[in-house]
Amino acid sequence: MTDDVILQVKDLKTYFKLDEGLLKAVDGVSFDIKKGRTLGIVGESGSGKSVTNLAIMKLIPSPPGWIAGGEVLLHGKDILKMSDTEIREIRGNKISMIFQDPMTCLNPFLRISTQMIETIVLHQGLDKKAAKDKAIEMLKLAGIPAPEKRIDQYPHQFSGGMRQRVMIAMALSCNPEILIADEPTTALDVTIQAQILELINELSERLGTAVILITHSLGVVAGMCDEICVMYAGRIVEKANADQIFGEPKHPYTMGLIKSVPRLDKTTKERLYSIPGQPPNVINLPDCCPFFPRCEYAKDICKQKYPPVSGISTGRSVACWLYGGGN
């Protein structure tokens, strides 16, 4: 592991035992996150993006879920082998997370001050007055107007965009090394989305925080991410830097995602492209390429065996029989 790599995820597997069968939500995911860099994880709903990052934080509900294998190395130490006491030192301190819906993550019965101060006192060792000053400073950094007054208000007194800013302020209040943003703009309108993404980018650069950005929007990762992992049916099917993904996508699924994005530079009228078919049911999924029913390049071997991960160039890989030597 090089000096600038903060977190290494190696062959991570997270399964759920359901009445219908075994759901392999994450099935052998590997990636690195480097200091001050932004990694985007992209894919359709149900591809395993959020479960991957919940597993990193050891937040998988058990039962029915469990982490079936792999390693999550933070500076070389495996988070998955840590005790509950050790992992509490990590959550919110070394690694913070912004969830999709801030209204369900903020306690509606507690003032913002109570929720922010508790975290800062626990991890930073400050007294309550110093912790409140730090909380006000973070709210100001996050663009909350009149933070000295608003810190004593309740979550319902904030708009959706302002609640998301509060969540960002809370997540960054302990100066974490890694910020996981799980679709942080899902419930927001387009203008507020742009503001929130710009805020995350600006604060991560100012504080030197690495970011893992989970999203289904290629437009989001295009403007924010250094590296991108494309997920499908619980696995990473393509991994590359942003320029490579958008300039020369390799996996047929990645190609389909990019073709599905509306283009403003098109002069002719034509129907918006959509990937044919539906995402697979990942319960009891057979060991073949799960994308083959939707793929225009599918070969016989795609229906029989999952493709190996092929390294195309430095830092770039793809899991597809087009590059894995199948006939």
Side-chain angles (χ1 to χ4, degrees), residues 150-190:
R150 303 219 68 183
I151 194 171
D152 291 317
Q153 293 181 333
Y154 291 90
H156 73 270
Q157 294 175 281
F158 290 75
S159 67
M162 285 298 171
R163 284 195 294 268
Q164 197 61 284
R165 288 173 184 269
V166 170
M167 286 294 297
I168 293 169
M170 289 178 66
L172 294 173
S173 60
C174 295
N175 301 323
E177 293 184 77
I178 301 169
L179 174 67
I180 300 174
D182 187 359
E183 303 209 30
T185 61
T186 296
L188 306 176
D189 64 63
V190 177

Side-chain angles (χ1 to χ4, degrees), residues 10-316:
K10 294 183 175 182
D11 199 27
L12 181 63
K13 298 178 181 180
T14 306
Y15 299 165
F16 292 83
K17 182 65 175 176
L18 306 178
D19 292 339
E20 298 86 350
L22 183 64
L23 190 157
K24 296 182 178 181
V26 178
D27 195 18
V29 164
S30 301
F31 60 82
D32 298 343
I33 182 72
K34 298 178 181 178
K35 183 177 181 179
R37 306 278 283 179
T38 298
L39 172 73
I41 301 180
V42 187
E44 294 170 287
S45 296
S47 61
K49 308 182 301 294
S50 295
V51 176
T52 297
N53 288 280
L54 288 173
I56 289 173
M57 301 279 279
K58 284 189 75 174
L59 290 173
I60 300 298
S62 178
W66 75 97
I67 297 172
E71 296 177 307
V72 178
L73 304 176
L74 179 65
H75 294 300
K77 188 172 182 181
D78 192 356
I79 290 176
L80 303 183
K81 293 180 180 177
M82 292 182 181
S83 66
D84 290 344
T85 302
E86 289 176 307
I87 200 65
R88 277 196 293 269
E89 290 294 318
I90 298 293
R91 292 191 196 121
N93 190 23
K94 299 291 186 182
I95 305 176
S96 285
M97 194 164 185
I98 304 169
F99 295 91
Q100 290 187 33
D101 185 0
M103 195 59 194
T104 58
C105 298
L106 294 168
N107 191 321
F109 297 104
L110 298 179
R111 299 177 192 273
I112 298 299
S113 57
T114 304
Q115 299 183 59
M116 291 193 70
I117 289 169
E118 180 183 22
T119 302
I120 296 170
V121 168
L122 177 65
H123 291 302
Q124 299 286 293
L126 302 178
D127 59 40
K128 286 190 175 181
K129 183 181 183 305
K132 186 171 184 178
D133 291 341
K134 177 71 180 291
I136 290 170
E137 177 190 344
M138 292 309 300
L139 289 175
K140 186 175 181 180
L141 273 178
I144 301 290
E148 299 84 357
K149 295 179 180 178
R150 303 219 68 183
I151 194 171
D152 291 317
Q153 293 181 333
Y154 291 90
H156 73 270
Q157 294 175 281
F158 290 75
S159 67
M162 285 298 171
R163 284 195 294 268
Q164 197 61 284
R165 288 173 184 269
V166 170
M167 286 294 297
I168 293 169
M170 289 178 66
L172 294 173
S173 60
C174 295
N175 301 323
E177 293 184 77
I178 301 169
L179 174 67
I180 300 174
D182 187 359
E183 303 209 30
T185 61
T186 296
L188 306 176
D189 64 63
V190 177
T191 306
I192 304 301
Q193 282 184 23
Q195 293 175 4
I196 294 299
L197 293 172
E198 186 178 347
L199 175 64
I200 292 173
N201 201 30
E202 179 188 331
L203 291 179
S204 67
E205 286 183 4
R206 184 183 303 184
L207 302 174
T209 306
V211 177
I212 301 175
L213 180 64
I214 306 166
T215 181
H216 58 265
S217 171
L218 284 170
V220 169
V221 295
M224 281 196 65
C225 298
D226 302 299
E227 290 91 26
I228 297 171
C229 294
V230 180
M231 286 193 72
Y232 189 81
R235 303 195 193 192
I236 292 175
V237 296
E238 185 166 0
K239 186 192 305 178
N241 65 46
D243 290 340
Q244 291 170 333
I245 288 287
F246 288 97
E248 193 181 1
K250 295 293 186 182
H251 197 281
Y253 178 58
T254 311
M255 297 177 195
L257 287 178
I258 292 174
K259 285 171 67 177
S260 302
V261 177
R263 296 285 298 267
L264 296 178
D265 58 351
K266 289 272 188 179
T267 55
T268 58
K269 290 185 179 180
E270 55 186 62
R271 289 182 64 87
L272 182 64
Y273 176 83
S274 64
I275 301 173
Q278 297 293 326
N281 182 349
V282 293
I283 298 175
N284 297 328
L285 194 66
D287 187 26
C288 63
C289 177
F291 189 64
F292 86 82
R294 311 172 72 186
C295 181
E296 60 183 293
Y297 305 103
K299 303 187 284 187
D300 288 340
I301 195 170
C302 302
K303 307 172 187 179
Q304 302 164 9
K305 195 174 180 182
Y306 195 88
V309 176
S310 304
I312 296 177
S313 59
T314 304
R316 180 163 204 190

